[in-house]
Short mmCIF file of all heavy atoms in Angstrom, two decimals:
data_model
loop_
_atom_site.label_atom_id
_atom_site.label_comp_id
_atom_site.label_asym_id
_atom_site.label_seq_id
_atom_site.Cartn_x
_atom_site.Cartn_y
_atom_site.Cartn_z
N ARG B 78 6.75 -7.15 -29.22
CA ARG B 78 5.60 -7.68 -28.51
C ARG B 78 5.56 -9.19 -28.64
O ARG B 78 6.16 -9.76 -29.55
CB ARG B 78 4.32 -7.06 -29.07
CG ARG B 78 4.20 -5.57 -28.86
CD ARG B 78 2.99 -5.02 -29.59
NE ARG B 78 2.93 -3.56 -29.46
CZ ARG B 78 2.07 -2.91 -28.71
NH1 ARG B 78 1.18 -3.59 -28.00
NH2 ARG B 78 2.07 -1.60 -28.65
N SER B 79 4.81 -9.83 -27.78
CA SER B 79 4.82 -11.30 -27.76
C SER B 79 4.12 -11.92 -28.95
O SER B 79 4.22 -13.13 -29.17
CB SER B 79 4.17 -11.80 -26.46
OG SER B 79 2.85 -11.34 -26.35
N ASN B 80 3.40 -11.12 -29.74
CA ASN B 80 2.74 -11.68 -30.93
C ASN B 80 3.68 -11.68 -32.15
O ASN B 80 3.26 -11.98 -33.26
CB ASN B 80 1.46 -10.92 -31.25
CG ASN B 80 1.70 -9.45 -31.55
OD1 ASN B 80 2.81 -8.96 -31.39
ND2 ASN B 80 0.66 -8.76 -31.97
N MET B 81 4.95 -11.33 -31.91
CA MET B 81 5.95 -11.33 -32.97
C MET B 81 7.11 -12.22 -32.53
O MET B 81 7.32 -12.44 -31.34
CB MET B 81 6.47 -9.91 -33.23
CG MET B 81 5.39 -8.91 -33.61
SD MET B 81 6.02 -7.23 -33.68
CE MET B 81 7.11 -7.36 -35.10
N ASP B 82 7.90 -12.71 -33.49
CA ASP B 82 9.10 -13.45 -33.12
C ASP B 82 10.38 -12.79 -33.62
O ASP B 82 11.48 -13.21 -33.27
CB ASP B 82 9.03 -14.91 -33.59
CG ASP B 82 8.74 -15.01 -35.07
OD1 ASP B 82 8.97 -14.04 -35.81
OD2 ASP B 82 8.26 -16.08 -35.50
N LYS B 83 10.22 -11.73 -34.41
CA LYS B 83 11.40 -11.05 -34.92
C LYS B 83 11.04 -9.61 -35.26
O LYS B 83 9.96 -9.34 -35.75
CB LYS B 83 11.91 -11.77 -36.18
CG LYS B 83 13.15 -11.15 -36.81
CD LYS B 83 13.57 -11.95 -38.04
CE LYS B 83 14.80 -11.35 -38.70
NZ LYS B 83 15.22 -12.16 -39.89
N ARG B 84 11.99 -8.74 -34.96
CA ARG B 84 11.80 -7.34 -35.33
C ARG B 84 13.16 -6.75 -35.63
O ARG B 84 14.13 -6.99 -34.90
CB ARG B 84 11.11 -6.57 -34.20
CG ARG B 84 10.70 -5.18 -34.59
CD ARG B 84 9.56 -4.64 -33.74
NE ARG B 84 9.15 -3.34 -34.25
CZ ARG B 84 9.40 -2.18 -33.64
NH1 ARG B 84 10.05 -2.17 -32.50
NH2 ARG B 84 9.00 -1.06 -34.18
N GLN B 85 13.21 -5.96 -36.69
CA GLN B 85 14.50 -5.41 -37.11
C GLN B 85 14.49 -3.90 -37.02
O GLN B 85 13.49 -3.23 -37.28
CB GLN B 85 14.81 -5.83 -38.55
CG GLN B 85 15.17 -7.30 -38.69
CD GLN B 85 15.54 -7.69 -40.10
OE1 GLN B 85 14.70 -7.65 -40.99
NE2 GLN B 85 16.79 -8.06 -40.30
N GLY B 86 15.67 -3.39 -36.61
CA GLY B 86 15.88 -1.95 -36.63
C GLY B 86 17.12 -1.65 -37.44
O GLY B 86 17.56 -2.47 -38.24
N GLN B 87 17.69 -0.49 -37.18
CA GLN B 87 18.91 -0.15 -37.89
C GLN B 87 20.09 -0.88 -37.25
O GLN B 87 20.45 -0.61 -36.12
CB GLN B 87 19.14 1.35 -37.83
CG GLN B 87 20.32 1.83 -38.66
CD GLN B 87 20.45 3.34 -38.66
OE1 GLN B 87 19.77 4.02 -37.90
NE2 GLN B 87 21.31 3.87 -39.49
N ARG B 88 20.67 -1.83 -37.93
CA ARG B 88 21.79 -2.68 -37.47
C ARG B 88 21.43 -3.59 -36.30
O ARG B 88 22.27 -4.33 -35.79
CB ARG B 88 23.01 -1.84 -37.05
CG ARG B 88 23.84 -1.30 -38.16
CD ARG B 88 25.26 -0.96 -37.72
NE ARG B 88 25.31 -0.08 -36.57
CZ ARG B 88 25.89 -0.43 -35.41
NH1 ARG B 88 26.43 -1.63 -35.24
NH2 ARG B 88 25.90 0.43 -34.39
N VAL B 89 20.24 -3.56 -35.81
CA VAL B 89 19.84 -4.43 -34.71
C VAL B 89 18.62 -5.26 -35.08
O VAL B 89 17.76 -4.82 -35.82
CB VAL B 89 19.56 -3.63 -33.41
CG1 VAL B 89 20.82 -2.95 -32.91
CG2 VAL B 89 18.45 -2.63 -33.63
N THR B 90 18.60 -6.47 -34.51
CA THR B 90 17.48 -7.38 -34.69
C THR B 90 17.18 -8.01 -33.34
O THR B 90 18.11 -8.44 -32.63
CB THR B 90 17.81 -8.50 -35.69
OG1 THR B 90 18.13 -7.90 -36.96
CG2 THR B 90 16.63 -9.45 -35.87
N VAL B 91 15.93 -8.06 -32.96
CA VAL B 91 15.54 -8.75 -31.74
C VAL B 91 14.75 -10.00 -32.14
O VAL B 91 13.89 -9.95 -33.01
CB VAL B 91 14.73 -7.85 -30.78
CG1 VAL B 91 13.50 -7.26 -31.47
CG2 VAL B 91 14.32 -8.60 -29.53
N LEU B 92 15.10 -11.11 -31.51
CA LEU B 92 14.43 -12.37 -31.74
C LEU B 92 13.78 -12.83 -30.44
O LEU B 92 14.40 -12.75 -29.38
CB LEU B 92 15.42 -13.43 -32.22
CG LEU B 92 16.14 -13.15 -33.54
CD1 LEU B 92 17.13 -14.28 -33.83
CD2 LEU B 92 15.15 -13.01 -34.68
N LEU B 93 12.57 -13.30 -30.54
CA LEU B 93 11.84 -13.77 -29.37
C LEU B 93 11.41 -15.20 -29.59
O LEU B 93 10.73 -15.50 -30.58
CB LEU B 93 10.61 -12.88 -29.12
CG LEU B 93 9.66 -13.30 -28.00
CD1 LEU B 93 10.38 -13.28 -26.65
CD2 LEU B 93 8.43 -12.40 -27.98
N ASN B 94 11.79 -16.08 -28.69
CA ASN B 94 11.37 -17.48 -28.73
C ASN B 94 10.56 -17.75 -27.47
O ASN B 94 11.11 -17.99 -26.40
CB ASN B 94 12.60 -18.40 -28.81
CG ASN B 94 12.21 -19.85 -28.99
OD1 ASN B 94 11.14 -20.29 -28.56
ND2 ASN B 94 13.07 -20.61 -29.64
N LYS B 95 9.25 -17.72 -27.61
CA LYS B 95 8.39 -17.87 -26.45
C LYS B 95 8.38 -19.30 -25.93
O LYS B 95 8.10 -19.54 -24.77
CB LYS B 95 6.97 -17.41 -26.80
CG LYS B 95 6.89 -15.91 -27.10
CD LYS B 95 5.47 -15.49 -27.42
CE LYS B 95 5.01 -15.98 -28.77
NZ LYS B 95 5.77 -15.34 -29.88
N THR B 96 8.68 -20.25 -26.81
CA THR B 96 8.67 -21.66 -26.40
C THR B 96 9.69 -21.92 -25.30
O THR B 96 9.42 -22.63 -24.33
CB THR B 96 8.97 -22.56 -27.60
OG1 THR B 96 7.99 -22.32 -28.61
CG2 THR B 96 8.93 -24.02 -27.19
N VAL B 97 10.88 -21.33 -25.47
CA VAL B 97 11.94 -21.52 -24.48
C VAL B 97 12.18 -20.27 -23.66
O VAL B 97 13.16 -20.20 -22.90
CB VAL B 97 13.25 -21.99 -25.15
CG1 VAL B 97 13.05 -23.36 -25.76
CG2 VAL B 97 13.72 -20.99 -26.21
N LYS B 98 11.32 -19.26 -23.81
CA LYS B 98 11.42 -18.02 -23.06
C LYS B 98 12.79 -17.38 -23.22
O LYS B 98 13.52 -17.13 -22.25
CB LYS B 98 11.10 -18.26 -21.59
CG LYS B 98 9.70 -18.78 -21.34
CD LYS B 98 9.49 -19.06 -19.86
CE LYS B 98 8.22 -19.83 -19.63
NZ LYS B 98 8.11 -20.31 -18.23
N HIS B 99 13.14 -17.13 -24.46
CA HIS B 99 14.46 -16.62 -24.76
C HIS B 99 14.34 -15.40 -25.69
O HIS B 99 13.54 -15.38 -26.62
CB HIS B 99 15.30 -17.72 -25.43
CG HIS B 99 16.71 -17.33 -25.70
ND1 HIS B 99 17.11 -16.80 -26.91
CD2 HIS B 99 17.82 -17.37 -24.92
CE1 HIS B 99 18.42 -16.55 -26.86
NE2 HIS B 99 18.86 -16.89 -25.67
N LEU B 100 15.18 -14.43 -25.40
CA LEU B 100 15.21 -13.19 -26.16
C LEU B 100 16.66 -12.94 -26.55
O LEU B 100 17.57 -13.16 -25.74
CB LEU B 100 14.71 -12.06 -25.26
CG LEU B 100 14.40 -10.69 -25.82
CD1 LEU B 100 13.17 -10.74 -26.69
CD2 LEU B 100 14.19 -9.71 -24.67
N SER B 101 16.89 -12.47 -27.77
CA SER B 101 18.26 -12.12 -28.15
C SER B 101 18.29 -10.81 -28.92
O SER B 101 17.32 -10.42 -29.55
CB SER B 101 18.90 -13.24 -28.98
OG SER B 101 18.27 -13.32 -30.24
N LEU B 102 19.44 -10.17 -28.81
CA LEU B 102 19.70 -8.94 -29.54
C LEU B 102 20.89 -9.18 -30.45
O LEU B 102 21.96 -9.56 -29.96
CB LEU B 102 19.99 -7.78 -28.58
CG LEU B 102 20.35 -6.44 -29.24
CD1 LEU B 102 19.12 -5.84 -29.93
CD2 LEU B 102 20.92 -5.46 -28.21
N GLN B 103 20.70 -8.98 -31.72
CA GLN B 103 21.79 -9.11 -32.67
C GLN B 103 22.18 -7.73 -33.16
O GLN B 103 21.33 -6.96 -33.58
CB GLN B 103 21.37 -10.01 -33.84
CG GLN B 103 20.97 -11.41 -33.40
CD GLN B 103 20.50 -12.27 -34.56
OE1 GLN B 103 20.47 -11.83 -35.70
NE2 GLN B 103 20.14 -13.51 -34.25
N ILE B 104 23.48 -7.45 -33.10
CA ILE B 104 24.01 -6.19 -33.59
C ILE B 104 24.92 -6.50 -34.77
O ILE B 104 25.89 -7.25 -34.62
CB ILE B 104 24.80 -5.43 -32.50
CG1 ILE B 104 23.93 -5.22 -31.26
CG2 ILE B 104 25.28 -4.08 -33.04
CD1 ILE B 104 24.69 -4.62 -30.08
N ALA B 105 24.60 -5.95 -35.91
CA ALA B 105 25.40 -6.20 -37.11
C ALA B 105 26.56 -5.21 -37.19
O ALA B 105 26.44 -4.05 -36.78
CB ALA B 105 24.52 -6.06 -38.34
N ALA B 106 27.68 -5.70 -37.69
CA ALA B 106 28.86 -4.86 -37.92
C ALA B 106 29.15 -3.99 -36.68
O ALA B 106 29.12 -2.76 -36.75
CB ALA B 106 28.65 -3.98 -39.14
N THR B 107 29.44 -4.65 -35.59
CA THR B 107 29.62 -3.97 -34.31
C THR B 107 30.70 -2.90 -34.39
O THR B 107 31.77 -3.12 -34.96
CB THR B 107 29.98 -4.98 -33.21
OG1 THR B 107 29.10 -6.10 -33.29
CG2 THR B 107 29.83 -4.36 -31.85
N GLN B 108 30.41 -1.76 -33.80
CA GLN B 108 31.30 -0.60 -33.84
C GLN B 108 31.78 -0.26 -32.42
O GLN B 108 31.13 -0.63 -31.44
CB GLN B 108 30.55 0.59 -34.43
CG GLN B 108 30.02 0.35 -35.83
CD GLN B 108 29.08 1.46 -36.29
OE1 GLN B 108 28.81 2.41 -35.56
NE2 GLN B 108 28.59 1.32 -37.51
N PRO B 109 32.88 0.46 -32.30
CA PRO B 109 33.36 0.84 -30.96
C PRO B 109 32.30 1.55 -30.12
O PRO B 109 32.23 1.37 -28.91
CB PRO B 109 34.55 1.76 -31.28
CG PRO B 109 35.05 1.29 -32.60
CD PRO B 109 33.81 0.87 -33.37
N GLY B 110 31.47 2.33 -30.77
CA GLY B 110 30.40 3.04 -30.05
C GLY B 110 29.32 2.14 -29.50
O GLY B 110 28.48 2.59 -28.72
N ASP B 111 29.36 0.87 -29.87
CA ASP B 111 28.39 -0.09 -29.34
C ASP B 111 28.81 -0.62 -27.97
O ASP B 111 28.03 -1.30 -27.30
CB ASP B 111 28.21 -1.27 -30.30
CG ASP B 111 27.59 -0.85 -31.63
OD1 ASP B 111 26.77 0.09 -31.64
OD2 ASP B 111 27.93 -1.47 -32.66
N SER B 112 30.04 -0.35 -27.57
CA SER B 112 30.51 -0.81 -26.26
C SER B 112 29.66 -0.18 -25.16
O SER B 112 29.56 1.04 -25.06
CB SER B 112 31.98 -0.43 -26.06
OG SER B 112 32.82 -1.15 -26.94
N ALA B 113 29.05 -1.02 -24.35
CA ALA B 113 28.13 -0.56 -23.31
C ALA B 113 27.59 -1.78 -22.58
O ALA B 113 27.92 -2.91 -22.92
CB ALA B 113 26.97 0.25 -23.90
N VAL B 114 26.76 -1.53 -21.58
CA VAL B 114 26.01 -2.61 -20.94
C VAL B 114 24.63 -2.67 -21.60
O VAL B 114 23.98 -1.63 -21.80
CB VAL B 114 25.86 -2.37 -19.42
CG1 VAL B 114 25.00 -3.47 -18.80
CG2 VAL B 114 27.24 -2.32 -18.76
N TYR B 115 24.21 -3.86 -21.94
CA TYR B 115 22.92 -4.06 -22.59
C TYR B 115 21.99 -4.79 -21.63
O TYR B 115 22.35 -5.84 -21.06
CB TYR B 115 23.09 -4.85 -23.89
CG TYR B 115 23.74 -4.01 -24.96
CD1 TYR B 115 25.12 -3.83 -24.96
CD2 TYR B 115 22.98 -3.37 -25.94
CE1 TYR B 115 25.74 -3.04 -25.92
CE2 TYR B 115 23.59 -2.57 -26.90
CZ TYR B 115 24.96 -2.41 -26.88
OH TYR B 115 25.57 -1.62 -27.83
N PHE B 116 20.81 -4.23 -21.46
CA PHE B 116 19.80 -4.83 -20.59
C PHE B 116 18.60 -5.25 -21.41
O PHE B 116 18.13 -4.50 -22.27
CB PHE B 116 19.30 -3.81 -19.56
CG PHE B 116 20.31 -3.41 -18.53
CD1 PHE B 116 21.02 -2.23 -18.65
CD2 PHE B 116 20.53 -4.21 -17.42
CE1 PHE B 116 21.95 -1.86 -17.69
CE2 PHE B 116 21.45 -3.84 -16.44
CZ PHE B 116 22.16 -2.67 -16.60
N CYS B 117 18.07 -6.43 -21.10
CA CYS B 117 16.75 -6.74 -21.58
C CYS B 117 15.76 -6.47 -20.45
O CYS B 117 16.13 -6.50 -19.27
CB CYS B 117 16.63 -8.19 -22.04
SG CYS B 117 16.89 -9.42 -20.74
N ALA B 118 14.56 -6.14 -20.81
CA ALA B 118 13.53 -5.87 -19.83
C ALA B 118 12.23 -6.46 -20.33
O ALA B 118 11.99 -6.56 -21.54
CB ALA B 118 13.38 -4.37 -19.58
N GLU B 119 11.39 -6.88 -19.38
CA GLU B 119 10.12 -7.47 -19.74
C GLU B 119 9.01 -6.78 -18.98
O GLU B 119 9.24 -6.16 -17.93
CB GLU B 119 10.11 -8.95 -19.41
CG GLU B 119 10.26 -9.22 -17.92
CD GLU B 119 10.00 -10.67 -17.54
OE1 GLU B 119 9.15 -11.32 -18.18
OE2 GLU B 119 10.62 -11.13 -16.59
N SER B 120 7.81 -6.90 -19.50
CA SER B 120 6.65 -6.43 -18.75
C SER B 120 5.43 -7.23 -19.14
O SER B 120 5.39 -7.87 -20.20
CB SER B 120 6.42 -4.94 -18.97
OG SER B 120 5.94 -4.71 -20.28
N LYS B 121 4.47 -7.18 -18.23
CA LYS B 121 3.19 -7.82 -18.45
C LYS B 121 2.16 -6.73 -18.40
O LYS B 121 2.09 -5.99 -17.42
CB LYS B 121 2.95 -8.87 -17.37
CG LYS B 121 1.61 -9.59 -17.49
CD LYS B 121 1.43 -10.57 -16.33
CE LYS B 121 1.30 -9.85 -15.01
NZ LYS B 121 1.01 -10.79 -13.90
N THR B 122 1.40 -6.59 -19.44
CA THR B 122 0.47 -5.47 -19.49
C THR B 122 -0.97 -5.97 -19.49
O THR B 122 -1.26 -7.09 -19.90
CB THR B 122 0.67 -4.65 -20.77
OG1 THR B 122 0.42 -5.49 -21.90
CG2 THR B 122 2.08 -4.12 -20.85
N SER B 123 -1.82 -5.12 -19.03
CA SER B 123 -3.25 -5.36 -19.17
C SER B 123 -3.86 -4.06 -19.62
O SER B 123 -3.24 -3.01 -19.56
CB SER B 123 -3.85 -5.84 -17.85
OG SER B 123 -3.64 -4.87 -16.84
N SER B 124 -5.05 -4.11 -20.07
CA SER B 124 -5.66 -2.93 -20.65
C SER B 124 -5.60 -1.75 -19.70
O SER B 124 -6.03 -1.82 -18.56
CB SER B 124 -7.12 -3.23 -21.01
OG SER B 124 -7.74 -2.09 -21.54
N GLY B 125 -5.05 -0.67 -20.16
CA GLY B 125 -4.99 0.56 -19.38
C GLY B 125 -3.87 0.64 -18.39
O GLY B 125 -3.66 1.68 -17.78
#
Side-chain angles (χ1 to χ4, degrees):
Chain B
R78 295 173 184 253
S79 59
N80 61 352
M81 302 172 68
D82 54 21
K83 180 179 180 179
R84 189 157 185 252
Q85 288 183 294
Q87 186 176 9
R88 283 202 307 119
V89 296
T90 300
V91 56
L92 299 177
L93 175 62
N94 186 331
K95 294 181 288 294
T96 302
V97 294
K98 299 177 192 170
H99 184 267
L100 191 70
S101 69
L102 177 70
Q103 300 178 0
I104 305 173
T107 313
Q108 302 170 359
D111 295 327
S112 292
V114 177
Y115 288 80
F116 292 99
C117 63
E119 63 170 327
S120 71
K121 179 183 66 175
T122 61
S123 59
S124 178

